[in-house]
Amino acid sequence: MNDPRFNWRLIPAFLAAYEHGSLMAAARQLGSSQPTMGRHIAELEAQLGTVLFERTGRGLAPTAAGQRLAEAARAMETGAHALLRSVSDTRTALRGTVRLSASQPVACVLLPPILARMRLLLPEIAVELVASNAVSNLLRREADIAVRMVRPEQGALVAQRVGSVGIGVCAHRDYLRRRGTPSQLPDLLQHDLVGNDRHDDIAKGFAAMGHSVPNERFVLRTDDLMAYWAAVRAGMGIGFVADYLSRQDPDVLPLLPQLRIPPLPVWLVVHSEIRGNAPIRAVYDVLAAELPPLL
């Protein structure tokens, strides 16, 4: 567990499963899904090289290794709570404005509940939220902190990977009722597809799998991620949507689970010169702790 690549953010899923004895109960506690909990536990076991739970008819039974990890994880949790209390105790000295940049879906869906909880911890800090799909230039101080899906290359910026975004194929149930449900990748070419405008990520993805899809095959093309999501949600066609968005609507159904789309990394970025600024540091720490490991 001294491996620098170890993903400590899998620990909450492990503790929830340990305490409740089932993935379903753990998912309810963390506001996630049972498959996500299962993936987190499997990844943790793979990283540690040991089995943490025995799968039984009654649920999950911790192994000896799982019991030892639970003791260490609870100590970590106690330390994290102490850190938050420390931030809370000093919040009266933390005041000012912090400018935060994130893509529209992140700003509209993921950040509001986190910022609401942060408001209780840091009541004297105001947040300016820049909801934009463009990458704000921290070097020019267009933002103090940015949530990005690409790692910045500028040496003056400090980036911490805080999670990843799962991408899935999905469509509204009304569309599938009209047009049928694709069972394999080539089937998609017979369906209405929602695509990008100037960006060509989706077309490149098809090309990498051996299928050429010209722009004319997309019934709607937009680079506005919220407009894209709205089109899929309205039943215009099949789209490629972040998992945290598709989970917002139970009528939007996942398709082609066998299609493995690489997740996008999520980076929390700040300029190295202002990382020591107390309000910025406090907001940065809260975001690093609160952003889920798999969005």
Side-chain angles (χ1 to χ4, degrees):
M1 289 176 54
N2 291 323
D3 190 333
R5 297 168 297 175
F6 180 78
N7 189 353
W8 294 98
R9 296 176 64 78
L10 299 173
I11 293 297
F14 164 76
L15 274 180
Y18 182 89
E19 292 169 357
H20 292 282
S22 78
L23 295 177
M24 182 175 297
R28 282 198 298 267
Q29 176 184 325
L30 298 181
S32 184
S33 66
Q34 184 173 345
T36 296
M37 292 295 100
R39 286 196 299 271
H40 289 180
I41 297 300
E43 182 179 346
L44 185 59
E45 290 179 328
Q47 290 195 19
L48 295 175
T50 187
V51 176
L52 300 174
F53 294 104
E54 297 287 348
R55 277 66 173 177
T56 70
R58 295 185 178 181
L60 301 177
T63 62
Q67 292 174 352
R68 289 193 298 270
L69 180 60
E71 295 177 3
R74 283 170 173 159
M76 289 171 52
E77 188 177 48
T78 299
H81 289 162
L83 173 63
L84 289 177
R85 284 195 300 271
S86 176
V87 171
S88 179
D89 291 341
T90 60
R91 65 182 181 269
T92 55
L94 296 172
R95 56 172 54 89
T97 299
V98 176
R99 191 168 176 84
L100 174 62
S101 171
S103 69
Q104 289 173 318
V106 172
C108 296
V109 177
L110 287 178
L111 286 182
I114 294 176
L115 295 179
R117 291 192 294 271
M118 187 174 71
R119 177 67 181 165
L120 301 177
L121 283 173
L122 306 170
E124 299 300 322
I125 292 181
V127 174
E128 293 177 347
L129 181 59
V130 182
S132 171
N133 296 331
V135 177
S136 289
N137 192 336
L138 274 72
L139 293 173
R140 296 181 179 178
R141 301 297 198 271
E142 293 178 9
D144 298 316
I145 302 172
V147 181
R148 292 180 172 174
M149 304 306 168
V150 292
R151 184 175 189 172
E153 298 180 354
Q154 298 92 333
L157 301 180
V158 177
Q160 175 186 353
R161 181 167 178 172
V162 294
S164 59
V165 176
I167 306 293
V169 187
C170 60
H172 194 278
R173 65 172 70 249
D174 290 344
Y175 171 85
L176 298 175
R177 191 178 296 118
R178 295 194 312 269
R179 297 293 307 277
T181 301
S183 60
Q184 53 188 342
L185 177 63
D187 295 344
L188 289 180
L189 304 181
Q190 309 304 318
H191 279 266
D192 293 340
L193 301 175
V194 181
N196 302 134
D197 181 17
R198 296 182 179 180
H199 298 162
D200 58 357
D201 295 344
I202 294 176
K204 284 182 176 179
F206 273 108
M209 292 181 282
H211 299 279
S212 176
V213 182
N215 283 344
E216 295 74 20
R217 285 290 295 109
F218 296 100
V219 298
L220 176 74
R221 299 192 300 273
T222 178
D223 292 333
D224 186 305
L225 298 179
M226 292 306 290
Y228 188 104
W229 165 232
V232 173
R233 199 174 185 182
M236 285 198 67
I238 295 175
F240 298 81
V241 178
D243 292 343
Y244 69 84
L245 276 180
S246 60
R247 288 195 297 264
Q248 300 294 310
D249 190 338
D251 288 327
V252 174
L253 305 180
L255 305 172
L256 303 178
Q258 72 275 23
L259 182 59
R260 303 297 182 183
I261 302 175
L264 297 176
V266 179
W267 300 92
L268 195 58
V269 187
V270 67
H271 195 286
S272 60
E273 292 183 2
I274 57 178
R275 185 172 53 167
N277 176 285
I280 294 174
R281 178 79 255 184
V283 171
Y284 184 96
D285 288 344
V286 171
L287 292 175
E290 288 281 342
L291 282 168
L294 184 62
L295 309 184

